[in-house]
């Protein structure tokens, strides 16, 4: 059999001189690790060469038209266990994509399951995992487990919640909850909602900022599922009359994922919302925030200063925490002291002193901030400015040589000034302390594989009030279409729209004179500030999102 080194040489991926020195004596594993670490070949090129060496086809699943009927032939649990994906049926043969075609146990299990001949094809490992996430879902398995939970409770003559309390790891209610969570993580959901209704239990995932109904289950499994989630989150299962908060940690593949859990009593039972705190989905480089042109320059000038206050504003779920953590990572260095006060601490960051607010113990934002200022900080991050006392201490901290980062709930950047004044902060202090304010929203990002370009009408663009110049030919814009890569939504991932207002001398004077947010907006725009709509237009023009999506998130 021809060696992997010889195939790589024939394909021009490795110089022929290496065949004598490296290729002749090295094992395939050593050869691959050496070449990939040097950046001379990609994982896909290696997988393609390995397929040629074995004499079997190589497929790139991102572009392959996978037959869903083939996928449904094999039980989901078997596909997950062996990491294989059926992709087509050819007569009496089933084509199965594998990262390791030499895994005879996996081939035998698939063959026994479908009673067909199995033909392996090779796929790159990361490509295979991504395809499994798209095509292998837990919906059918969850429905089967729902029935099993009801049957188990009936057989034992107990309630579903008692089954949840006494269950082991293989019990249906445990597997049901584990699958709900793992499917949510796999779908890149930010939140999982378990919602009791009058006749059923509904599960919804928030994916890219939009809620999708993922599962409907009988009402009689409700107590069992909620009790199981409470046990996992270390929440009092006997208390059902008041809201409770907890936290859990689950293993997903090779990662440890934290979830923040909140319960809320409703008329039909307790609603549970789980926020998935996945560090891998959090942008941790300023470049990844998507700041354009002037916005990037103004923001960098603000966070590189040694003192002053930077506020990030927007509604809940607009990515404020991600922006703050990313900024914090950009400014944090071993030679400075960074302390945060958060409620709750969502992401643990090495080298940062993070404080969790605990009102029951008397540790509020204001009291924690007072203590922090006695701990010699250089940079302070406040999770949120909620009241006069916290705002006053934060303002004073920024005026006494500290860089203060925080969030505020306002609709746009100029409104942050009037909001602080409404909190009874002296207007001259607001103008002096504030360095810049960023307002942001999250819009869904168009799927690069299926977005379709179109030519908009100039009159339509003028009516949108997005800063389009009618004297210039309209640019090509894009609409969502939908494909297997984006679960037929037309969107994959999210992008932030920004509005950044530096507090200049003119805006400081307006603050002192208690000007309205409209007057501040007019001056800020005249000085070059791009509003959220205008930034959205720029990102739609670049093909990053659609006009409809910008209008959905921006007033």
């Amino acid at each position: 059999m021809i060696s992997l080194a010889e195939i790589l040489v024939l394909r021009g991926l490795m110089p022929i001189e290496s065949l004598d020195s490296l290729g002749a004596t090295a094992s395939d594993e050593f050869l691959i690790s050496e070449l990939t670490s040097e950046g001379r070949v990609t994982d896909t090129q290696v997988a393609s060469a390995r397929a040629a060496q074995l004499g079997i086809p190589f497929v790139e699943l991102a572009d392959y038209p996978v037959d869903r009927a083939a996928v449904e032939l094999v039980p989901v649990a078997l596909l997950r266990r062996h990491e294989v994906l059926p992709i087509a049926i050819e007569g009496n043969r089933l084509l199965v994509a594998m990262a390791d075609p030499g895994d005879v146990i996996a081939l035998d299990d698939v063959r026994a399951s479908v009673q067909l001949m199995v033909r392996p094809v090779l796929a790159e490992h990361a490509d295979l995992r991504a395809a499994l996430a798209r095509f292998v879902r837990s919906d059918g398995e969850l429905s089967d487990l729902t029935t099993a939970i009801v049957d188990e409770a009936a057989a034992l003559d107990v309630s579903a919640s008692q089954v949840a309390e006494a269950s082991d790891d293989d019990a249906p209610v445990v597997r049901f909850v584990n699958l709900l969570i793992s499917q949510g993580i796999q779908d890149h959901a930010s939140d999982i909602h378990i919602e009791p209704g009058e006749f059923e239990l509904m599960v919804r995932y928030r994916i890219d900022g939009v809620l999708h109904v993922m599962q409907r289950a009988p009402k009689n499994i409700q107590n069992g599922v909620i009790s199981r989630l409470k046990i996992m989150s270390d929440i009092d299962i006997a208390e059902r009359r008041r809201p409770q908060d907890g936290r859990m940690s689950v293993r997903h593949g090779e990662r440890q994922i934290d979830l923040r859990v909140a319960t809320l009593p409703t008329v039909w039972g307790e609603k549970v919302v789980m926020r998935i705190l996945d560090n891998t989905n959090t942008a941790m480089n300023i470049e990844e925030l998507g700041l354009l042109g002037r916005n990037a320059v103004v923001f960098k000038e603000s966070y590189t200063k040694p003192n002053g206050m930077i506020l990030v504003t927007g509604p809940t779920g607009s990515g404020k925490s991600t922006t703050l953590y990313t900024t914090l990572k950009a400014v944090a260095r071993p030679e400075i002291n960074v302390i945060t006060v958060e409620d709750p601490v969502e992401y643990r960051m090495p080298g940062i002193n993070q404080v969790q607010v605990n009102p029951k113990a008397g540790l509020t934002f204001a009291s924690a901030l007072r203590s922090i200022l006695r701990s010699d900080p250089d940079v302070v991050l406040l999770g949120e400015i909620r009241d006069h006392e916290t705002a006053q201490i934060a303002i004073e901290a920024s005026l006494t040589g500290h860089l203060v980062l925080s969030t505020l709930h306002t609709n746009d950047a100029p409104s942050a000034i009037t909001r602080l004044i409404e909190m009874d902060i002296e207007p001259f202090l607001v103008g002096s302390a504030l360095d810049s304010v960023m307002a942001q929203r999250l819009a869904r990002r168009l799927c690069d594989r299926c977005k379709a370009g179109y030519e908009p009408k100039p009159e339509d663009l003028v009516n949108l009030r997005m800063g389009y110049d009618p004297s210039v030919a309209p640019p090509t814009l894009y609409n969502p279409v939908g494909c297997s890569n984006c679960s037929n939504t037309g969107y994959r991932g999210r992008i932030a729209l920004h509005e950044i207002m530096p507090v200049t001398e003119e805006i400081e004077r307006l603050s002192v004179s208690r000007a309205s947010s409209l007057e501040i907006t007019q001056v800020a725009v005249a000085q070059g500030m791009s509003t959220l709509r205008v930034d959205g237009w720029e990102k739609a023009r670049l093909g990053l999102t659609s006009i409809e999506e910008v209008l959905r998130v921006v007033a």
Side-chain angles (χ1 to χ4, degrees), residues 156-476:
L156 297 173
D157 196 24
V158 295
S159 69
S161 59
Q162 288 172 296
V163 170
E165 292 175 46
S167 58
D168 56 33
D169 288 346
D170 291 326
V173 70
V174 175
R175 288 164 55 207
F176 182 90
V177 168
N178 291 345
L179 268 178
L180 276 184
I181 294 171
S182 66
Q183 187 66 62
I185 297 168
Q186 186 172 295
D187 287 350
H188 303 291
S190 60
D191 301 87
I192 301 173
H193 292 242
I194 315 291
E195 301 177 328
E198 185 177 4
F199 303 110
E200 64 182 6
L201 181 71
M202 185 166 66
V203 178
R204 296 195 291 172
Y205 293 165
R206 187 177 292 280
I207 302 171
D208 294 336
V210 178
L211 282 168
H212 302 268
V213 177
M214 307 306 294
Q215 188 73 25
R216 296 181 186 272
K219 178 79 173 174
N220 49 6
I221 77 161
Q222 174 180 310
N223 290 341
V225 171
I226 292 171
S227 293
R228 176 61 190 168
L229 287 168
K230 285 178 153 187
I231 291 167
M232 293 173 72
S233 312
D234 198 21
I235 291 175
D236 183 2
I237 64 170
E239 179 57 72
R240 299 182 181 179
R241 298 166 299 173
R242 61 182 178 86
Q244 297 185 83
D245 295 312
R247 198 176 181 108
M248 71 169 81
S249 187
V250 298
R251 194 88 186 157
H252 184 77
E254 299 172 359
R255 295 178 292 150
Q256 196 74 19
I257 307 290
D258 290 334
L259 293 94
R260 194 179 77 212
V261 182
T263 68
L264 181 71
T266 71
V267 291
W268 302 118
E270 285 181 286
K271 172 185 169 83
V272 179
V273 178
M274 292 176 278
R275 167 66 56 89
I276 299 172
L277 307 173
D278 186 358
N279 280 322
T280 59
N281 291 336
T282 305
M284 281 297 173
N285 290 308
I286 289 289
E287 294 74 22
E288 294 174 42
L289 292 179
L291 294 164
L292 299 179
R294 179 180 180 273
N295 283 347
V297 172
V298 170
F299 193 59
K300 186 171 184 179
E301 285 177 355
S302 290
Y303 72 74
T304 51
K305 289 179 182 177
N307 60 281
M309 178 185 280
I310 301 172
L311 290 179
V312 182
T313 76
T316 303
S318 59
K320 299 189 298 295
S321 295
T322 297
T323 297
L324 285 178
Y325 280 116
T326 304
T327 308
L328 205 59
K329 187 181 179 188
V331 301
R333 301 185 305 278
E335 58 268 27
I336 66 171
N337 182 20
V338 181
I339 307 179
T340 76
V341 189
E342 304 168 66
D343 182 22
V345 174
E346 293 195 356
Y347 302 105
R348 271 87 171 173
M349 294 181 69
I352 307 289
N353 304 286
Q354 295 176 277
V355 178
Q356 168 80 51
V357 167
N358 186 353
K360 290 181 182 175
L363 187 63
T364 62
F365 274 111
S367 63
L369 189 50
R370 264 192 233 98
S371 300
I372 280 174
L373 294 178
R374 294 193 292 271
S375 301
D376 185 32
D378 295 291
V379 179
V380 177
L381 184 147
L382 266 175
E384 186 183 346
I385 293 178
R386 298 178 179 176
D387 52 44
H388 166 77
E389 188 180 8
T390 307
Q392 185 72 41
I393 301 168
I395 290 276
E396 289 170 1
S398 69
L399 290 170
T400 53
H402 305 91
L403 180 64
V404 178
L405 309 174
S406 190
T407 68
L408 200 63
H409 284 279
T410 63
N411 288 327
D412 56 20
S415 298
I417 290 176
T418 54
R419 178 81 183 96
L420 287 171
I421 293 171
E422 285 167 4
M423 287 182 174
D424 288 333
I425 304 298
E426 289 293 338
F428 71 91
L429 289 178
V430 173
S432 302
L434 265 185
D435 190 80
S436 68
V437 184
M438 173 195 285
Q440 71 176 51
R441 299 289 188 279
L442 290 180
R444 289 181 292 175
R445 184 191 288 268
L446 283 166
C447 174
D448 289 328
R449 293 188 184 275
C450 65
K451 65 184 180 183
Y454 70 98
E455 202 71 31
K457 295 179 180 177
E459 56 270 25
D460 291 342
L461 295 179
V462 172
N463 293 335
L464 291 173
R465 296 180 292 109
M466 287 188 173
Y468 166 67
D469 183 358
S471 64
V472 178
T476 299

Side-chain angles (χ1 to χ4, degrees), residues 476-525:
T476 299
L477 298 179
Y478 295 86
N479 273 330
V481 176
C483 64
S484 61
N485 184 56
C486 58
S487 303
N488 291 312
T489 63
Y491 298 97
R492 187 170 176 83
R494 288 192 285 180
I495 187 167
L497 312 182
H498 302 103
E499 175 181 287
I500 301 182
M501 181 189 75
V503 179
T504 60
E505 288 183 18
E506 292 85 351
I507 290 173
E508 191 174 336
R509 281 197 290 271
L510 289 173
S511 168
V512 172
S513 64
R514 296 178 181 266
S516 68
S517 58
L518 180 59
E519 291 175 88
I520 297 171
T521 301
Q522 289 170 344
V523 171
V525 169

